[in-house]
């Protein structure tokens, strides 16, 4: 479990997703972990939670998880790609394939 921007994020290993449940809904980042890489597939945040840092907290938690596992990240999700462009402290972890 991690907390970023006041948003609490948990990893649901069985569903291969990070989740941020809050009043107003649940934000989710889905991923696939294989071949020594973490593939960030999709980030979804309910409209009621948009603009509250939920998406960013999900991506940051996924990146911190990947760093802890020593794996590279392949971002397919457009939101995650944009977020990562603004947060260069994760550049060393990206694998564009």
């Amino acid at each position: 479990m991690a907390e970023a921007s006041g948003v609490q994020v948990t990893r649901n290993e069985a569903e291969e997703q990070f989740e941020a449940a809050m009043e107003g809904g649940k934000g989710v980042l889905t991923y696939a972990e294989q071949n020594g890489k973490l593939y960030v597939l999709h980030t979804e945040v309910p409209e009621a939670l948009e603009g509250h840092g939920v998406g960013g907290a999900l991506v940051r938690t996924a990146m911190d998880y990947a760093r802890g596992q020593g794996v590279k990240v392949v971002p397919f999700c457009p939101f995650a790609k944009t977020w990562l462009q603004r947060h260069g402290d994760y550049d060393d972890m990206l694998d564009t394939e």
Side-chain angles (χ1 to χ4, degrees):
M1 178 170 35
E3 190 167 327
S5 306
V7 178
Q8 196 171 57
V9 178
T10 57
R11 179 171 164 250
N12 181 335
E13 186 175 359
E15 298 290 326
E16 290 194 310
Q17 61 188 26
F18 291 91
E19 304 170 345
M22 301 175 65
E23 186 176 323
K26 177 170 75 171
V28 175
L29 180 147
T30 57
Y31 67 89
E33 191 172 358
Q34 50 190 246
N35 304 322
K37 296 179 185 176
L38 185 79
Y39 296 86
V40 176
L41 304 176
H42 182 68
T43 305
E44 188 169 332
V45 175
E47 193 174 324
L49 299 179
E50 288 180 5
H52 296 282
V54 175
L58 288 163
V59 176
R60 182 178 303 280
T61 301
M63 295 303 292
D64 290 344
Y65 166 77
R67 180 168 277 152
Q69 298 297 308
V71 299
K72 293 285 187 180
V73 175
V74 182
F76 286 111
C77 168
F79 175 84
K81 284 182 181 180
T82 301
W83 189 91
L84 288 163
Q85 288 172 350
R86 293 192 318 258
H87 295 84
D89 47 328
Y90 293 106
D91 286 352
D92 62 312
M93 299 177 57
L94 299 179
D95 184 337
T96 56
E97 293 216 324

